[in-house]
Amino acid sequence: MMHKYKTSEAKQCLANQQITFMGDSRIRDLYYAFVKILNPNVVKEKKHEDLPLFVDADAGLKVDFLWQPVVNNYMKQSFQAIMERESKPQFIVTGSATWTIKLNNGSTKALAQYKVNLSDMALLYEKNTNSDIYWILQDSVYEPLLSETRKMITNKMIDAYNDVAVGILNRTSLKSKSKLRIFSVNKLISKDAMSKSEDGLHLPESINYINAMILINAYCNNIIKPIDGSCCQASSPLTIIQQLAACFFIICIIGYLFLALMQRSKQRKNKPCADIESGEERKPATATPAASNMEVLLASLCKLGLIMAYFYFCDRANLYMKENKFYTHSSFFIPIIYILVLGIFYNENTKETKLLNREQTDEWKGWMQLVILIYHFSGASSFLPVYMHVRVLVAAYLFQTGYGHFSYFWLKGDFGIYRISQVIFRLNFLVVVLCIVMDRPYQFYYFVPLVTFWFMVIYGSLAAWPQIIQKKANANYLWHFALMLKFAFLLLCICFLLYSQGTFEKVFSLWPISKLFELNGDVYEWWFRWKLDRYAVFHGMLFAFIYLALQKRQVLTEGKGEPLFTNKVSNILLFFSVVSFLTYSIWASSCKNKTECNEMHPSISVVQIFAFVLIRNIPGYARSVYSSFFAWFGKISLELFICQYHIWLAADTKGILVLIPGSPMLNIIVSTFIFVCAAHEISNITNNLAQILVPKDNSALLKMLLCLAAFLFGLLFLSAVQ
């Protein structure tokens, strides 16, 4: 993966350094591409001479170009002069061959002399201990475009000169203290690009830019350590927390194996004996006892440890390759069509026909999650219409959070500590483990903090005095008015935080809350994510209240195959829903500016969400069926969303994991299969551990919460000292 360095990043890496380019016109083009990354306003000049020194006074950075088109004594003297400078360059970029071919009309004698001269240069490179040297191998040429004076510069000659350079310089570069590197990637890049060259010899500017960016990656990645720069940087050392986590999982695996051996040994001792008289095996008197909590705990942690090891090797160790994303319409829309067709073929009848029943919400989460996964994998965020529609899908997840949790509290009235602990554990368990294993802040997995925050808001709104539930409200309709006041107060708080960014940042920058919401030292990312879908949960709560109120008054008909309202009302609502849905899509598809559209999104995304809910639920036949294919994915949607960061995508979602290089389709199939299996297994592990670590007994639960608090404060302490 190649990190695209911004001007500020490149200057930060190269501050107070000097860089020298030495060679012919091809190296000169590379020099200009390099300095244009540092200053886009540099004007290119085609001179067969040394160029004026490029200086950035603010960064203390100097870059020069020395005209040495032929490998000879002049180049040797020029290199010696550089090495005798008081301030030696941090790295030198050099290379030459085409002028030698041209001046000698492609003679074999010139090639032999080139070999002798380059051997002399290699001796100088070997003595160098100060500067990194990058020898640029010769790009191919596009022979049909070459002028008559350059016809002798053939690709056959280029390959011959490159073979000589590789043969000589490899011996130097392989020595332990050598600072010489052979830069060969340009040959691969130029192979298909030379046909776009102006003269058949010089690369297009866009290709020189890529070569210059690779040079900066090669030198700067180990200094800046960008997460999406997979070249030329060592793996980060394990933190204290990661080392402790590794020890913990190893102990769990050993403990589980020991327990399994003990159980097996016991089963052998209790193995039924053969009845000699009857010749039959005696059956055991009792059935095999169920696994104990300790067995389930150790088995779950053992599996989790192995899965986490896979996560680490995929995205933290330099074990597997990673590649950049390149968006095309076909890479996004073809998989979308494929999964939609699959989903339609797996239709089943729902167990109940209520609006937004469990199967339907699982289906909704499932197909949305699959669309979001394809969106991330294909890099479709660069295409604004797709980006705006996916933003609606994220808002719809939060809408479901508001709808589901409000419905539960309103109907059940269960505000106990067990309920809140269960929800928070299921939402956060995987993320907390990944924060430890992958050394990432909690806010990095932004969706989980977002959902957790809004769950706490819903809980706080309804659990705060006076607690209002459906049973109480039905006894006295004034409680409905009180609930409306709660809704109004919640909306007021959202608006206050929206228009008081300073207050928002101060509140969420307080320790220890800041540890949950900071990313890269500030809470701006949290502010952005919160603001983008600030009304979605509120809309979900309001929709749930209206729906349950109408249901209680028997305004809705939710029988199998029956429309939700009377035929006339249903047809009118269905018509307006389809129009609203399409109107939003047309608006989103016509977006020209992401910032402006993001500003409007929180207020109008609810239009498409409401429209979809009505379209999906008004017709009785649509409400009575669901896609079991999508529903299956919906049940593990949270795990899929989080796991994609490290074992399907790579470099913290900025690239794509490559398990099988050279076979893109096979790689997608294998990595996707492992990814989905891991997400499903983690979902089962989370459910198993929730039953053990979140006991129903309040006293046991309080003890567990105290242990958890001590554990989290221990993590905070270790993260502060490391």
Side-chain angles (χ1 to χ4, degrees):
M1 286 183 67
M2 183 179 72
H3 176 66
K4 289 189 177 180
Y5 277 86
K6 299 175 185 174
T7 298
S8 57
E9 288 178 311
K11 287 182 179 180
Q12 178 190 344
C13 167
L14 302 172
N16 302 312
Q17 298 190 23
Q18 184 162 338
I19 298 115
T20 296
F21 286 75
M22 180 194 299
D24 55 17
S25 55
R26 286 176 154 189
I27 299 295
R28 182 188 62 207
D29 287 350
L30 184 57
Y31 159 82
Y32 274 116
F34 188 91
V35 296
K36 280 191 174 185
I37 293 171
L38 302 169
N39 182 358
N41 298 320
V42 169
V43 178
K44 183 177 178 180
E45 297 179 41
K46 293 184 178 180
K47 292 181 179 179
H48 290 358
E49 59 186 47
D50 295 353
L51 295 176
L53 183 69
F54 170 83
V55 178
D56 189 298
D58 294 333
L61 170 62
K62 298 176 182 178
V63 188
D64 62 342
F65 170 76
L66 305 178
W67 175 256
Q68 292 294 340
V70 179
V71 180
N72 55 19
N73 283 332
Y74 290 111
M75 180 180 276
K76 184 177 177 181
Q77 291 166 10
S78 184
F79 183 81
Q80 287 173 327
I82 292 170
M83 291 296 102
E84 290 169 4
R85 289 179 189 170
E86 187 175 339
S87 59
K88 296 176 178 59
Q90 270 61 44
F91 68 88
I92 300 168
V93 181
T94 185
S96 175
T98 55
W99 272 71
T100 302
I101 298 170
K102 178 183 174 183
L103 293 174
N104 295 278
N105 202 28
S107 71
T108 53
K109 186 178 178 181
L111 178 61
Q113 187 60 46
Y114 178 84
K115 186 175 183 178
V116 172
N117 292 343
L118 192 57
S119 297
D120 291 341
M121 292 298 301
L123 293 174
L124 293 178
Y125 297 155
E126 196 173 321
K127 293 175 184 177
N128 162 60
T129 57
N130 301 299
S131 306
D132 289 330
I133 300 172
Y134 295 95
W135 180 271
I136 311 295
L137 291 181
Q138 294 300 300
D139 304 308
S140 59
V141 295
Y142 189 62
E143 295 179 22
L145 288 179
L146 291 173
S147 64
E148 287 300 320
T149 57
R150 291 172 174 164
K151 286 292 183 183
M152 70 292 296
I153 308 174
T154 63
N155 284 318
K156 186 177 179 181
M157 291 302 300
I158 291 284
D159 290 341
Y161 276 75
N162 279 336
D163 289 342
V164 167
V166 170
I168 294 169
L169 299 178
N170 253 347
R171 292 194 291 271
T172 302
S173 65
L174 291 173
K175 293 183 179 179
S176 59
K177 294 184 179 179
S178 173
K179 298 185 74 98
L180 174 66
R181 302 287 179 270
I182 298 176
F183 191 89
S184 58
V185 68
N186 57 306
K187 289 174 61 185
L188 296 172
I189 297 170
S190 66
K191 188 174 287 185
D192 297 323
M194 286 308 298
S195 59
K196 299 174 185 175
S197 167
E198 291 181 1
D199 56 10
L201 179 68
H202 297 96
L203 290 168
E205 281 192 20
S206 59
I207 305 303
N208 274 316
Y209 167 82
I210 294 172
N211 285 330
M213 192 60 75
I214 292 171
L215 268 177
I216 295 180
N217 272 256
Y219 185 78
C220 290
N221 280 1
N222 215 29
I223 299 170
I224 302 297
K225 297 192 181 300
I227 192 66
D228 59 338
S230 59
C231 154
C232 318
Q233 62 170 312
S235 299
S236 300
L238 290 173
T239 64
I240 297 171
I241 294 174
Q242 286 175 308
Q243 291 173 25
L244 290 173
C247 291
F248 172 77
F249 283 124
I250 289 169
I251 291 168
C252 288
I253 291 169
I254 293 170
Y256 175 70
L257 292 174
F258 177 76
L259 196 64
L261 287 171
M262 292 287 288
Q263 291 287 349
R264 191 171 181 181
S265 175
K266 192 182 291 186
Q267 286 173 3
R268 281 180 178 176
K269 288 179 182 179
N270 297 333
K271 187 176 180 181
C273 303
D275 190 322
I276 297 172
E277 292 182 6
S278 64
E280 295 178 355
E281 192 178 73
R282 292 175 185 167
K283 294 182 180 179
T286 56
T288 305
S292 66
N293 279 352
M294 181 56 71
E295 289 178 80
V296 174
L297 179 66
L298 285 175
S300 298
L301 292 175
C302 179
K303 286 187 280 188
L304 183 65
L306 294 173
I307 293 170
M308 287 301 109
Y310 178 70
F311 271 71
Y312 183 85
F313 288 129
C314 282
D315 207 23
R316 285 297 173 271
N318 290 331
L319 187 61
Y320 298 113
M321 293 175 65
K322 303 166 181 118
E323 64 184 16
N324 292 95
K325 302 175 188 177
F326 294 99
Y327 174 74
T328 60
H329 291 323
S330 60
S331 67
F332 176 75
F333 289 105
I334 290 175
I336 292 291
I337 294 168
Y338 180 71
I339 63 154
L340 288 178
V341 171
L342 268 179
I344 290 169
F345 275 103
Y346 285 86
N347 275 344
E348 292 183 22
N349 292 326
T350 57
K351 292 177 183 176
E352 55 181 356
T353 55
K354 292 180 180 178
L355 182 141
L356 289 179
N357 56 68
R358 182 59 183 268
E359 288 100 339
Q360 190 186 126
T361 53
D362 282 340
E363 174 203 85
W364 191 6
K365 286 189 286 186
W367 71 256
M368 287 196 302
Q369 186 56 63
L370 291 173
V371 170
I372 290 171
L373 289 174
I374 295 168
Y375 164 82
H376 285 151
F377 192 87
S378 62
S381 59
S382 58
F383 185 48
L384 195 52
V386 172
Y387 168 83
M388 291 309 301
H389 281 88
V390 169
R391 286 259 45 94
V392 176
L393 301 187
V394 176
Y397 265 102
L398 294 171
F399 175 89
Q400 283 196 51
T401 297
Y403 174 85
H405 291 304
F406 176 88
S407 299
Y408 179 87
F409 290 128
W410 178 249
L411 296 172
K412 303 280 187 181
D414 178 10
F415 297 101
I417 192 170
Y418 173 73
R419 169 66 183 177
I420 191 174
S421 300
Q422 275 274 329
V423 172
I424 290 177
F425 181 87
R426 290 174 186 275
L427 286 175
N428 290 273
F429 172 72
L430 175 58
V431 165
V432 171
V433 173
L434 286 176
C435 288
I436 294 168
V437 173
M438 307 302 287
D439 190 29
R440 281 290 168 263
Y442 179 65
Q443 184 57 37
F444 174 75
Y445 306 94
Y446 74 92
F447 188 71
V448 170
L450 199 60
V451 175
T452 304
F453 169 80
W454 283 114
F455 168 72
M456 294 305 298
V457 167
I458 298 164
Y459 177 84
S461 301
L462 297 176
W465 184 90
Q467 285 186 4
I468 307 169
I469 61 174
Q470 189 181 60
K471 189 175 180 181
K472 182 189 284 188
N474 289 340
N476 188 339
Y477 284 100
L478 287 175
W479 287 117
H480 286 96
F481 177 71
L483 183 64
M484 288 298 103
L485 289 178
K486 281 194 172 190
F487 276 138
F489 180 72
L490 175 58
L491 186 60
L492 188 65
C493 289
I494 293 170
C495 293
F496 172 75
L497 289 174
L498 172 65
Y499 294 109
S500 306
Q501 186 177 350
T503 304
F504 183 98
E505 291 180 352
K506 284 178 182 177
V507 169
F508 291 102
S509 296
L510 295 172
W511 192 91
I513 299 174
S514 60
K515 293 297 181 182
L516 299 177
F517 299 105
E518 281 185 354
L519 189 65
N520 301 323
D522 60 49
V523 296
Y524 177 79
E525 181 70 14
W526 167 239
W527 157 256
F528 173 76
R529 296 292 181 184
W530 176 88
K531 184 177 72 167
L532 206 53
D533 296 300
R534 57 187 177 269
Y535 300 126
V537 170
F538 175 80
H539 290 143
M541 295 170 68
L542 190 61
F543 181 84
F545 172 72
I546 294 170
Y547 162 65
L548 292 171
L550 292 175
Q551 187 188 58
K552 187 68 180 176
R553 284 156 186 73
Q554 298 181 340
V555 174
L556 308 175
T557 53
E558 296 181 299
K560 188 171 184 179
E562 296 179 329
L564 201 59
F565 303 94
T566 61
N567 286 332
K568 185 177 180 181
V569 173
S570 293
N571 289 335
I572 292 170
L573 285 175
L574 202 56
F575 172 77
F576 280 108
S577 296
V578 171
V579 170
S580 301
F581 189 93
L582 294 176
T583 302
Y584 180 90
S585 289
I586 292 167
W587 172 81
S589 300
S590 62
C591 269
K592 303 297 181 187
N593 184 293
K594 185 180 283 189
T595 304
E596 291 177 5
C597 292
N598 277 343
E599 286 296 322
M600 295 183 67
H601 163 78
S603 303
I604 63 174
S605 59
V606 68
V607 172
Q608 195 163 43
I609 295 170
F610 278 171
F612 171 80
V613 172
L614 293 176
I615 292 168
R616 183 71 179 81
N617 285 276
I618 286 176
Y621 61 87
R623 205 171 58 252
S624 303
V625 295
Y626 77 104
S627 168
S628 57
F629 175 78
F630 291 141
W632 188 87
F633 284 99
K635 290 172 183 174
I636 58 169
S637 59
L638 183 66
E639 288 77 15
L640 287 169
F641 188 86
I642 299 165
C643 289
Q644 67 167 324
Y645 278 68
H646 302 297
I647 61 168
W648 197 51
L649 305 176
D652 294 346
T653 75
K654 291 181 172 61
I656 296 169
L657 179 67
V658 180
L659 297 177
I660 306 172
S663 302
M665 188 55 65
L666 183 60
N667 178 67
I668 291 172
I669 292 168
V670 173
S671 64
T672 302
F673 177 76
I674 297 172
F675 158 58
V676 173
C677 289
H680 183 265
E681 193 58 41
I682 289 172
S683 177
N684 290 336
I685 290 169
T686 304
N687 290 332
N688 291 337
L689 292 177
Q691 294 175 19
I692 299 168
L693 301 179
V694 187
K696 291 184 178 180
D697 179 65
N698 279 344
S699 60
L701 181 55
L702 285 171
K703 289 177 185 176
M704 195 66 74
L705 291 175
L706 286 173
C707 292
L708 177 63
F711 171 73
L712 292 176
F713 274 104
L715 283 180
L716 287 176
F717 174 76
L718 288 173
S719 63
V721 298
Q722 67 184 7

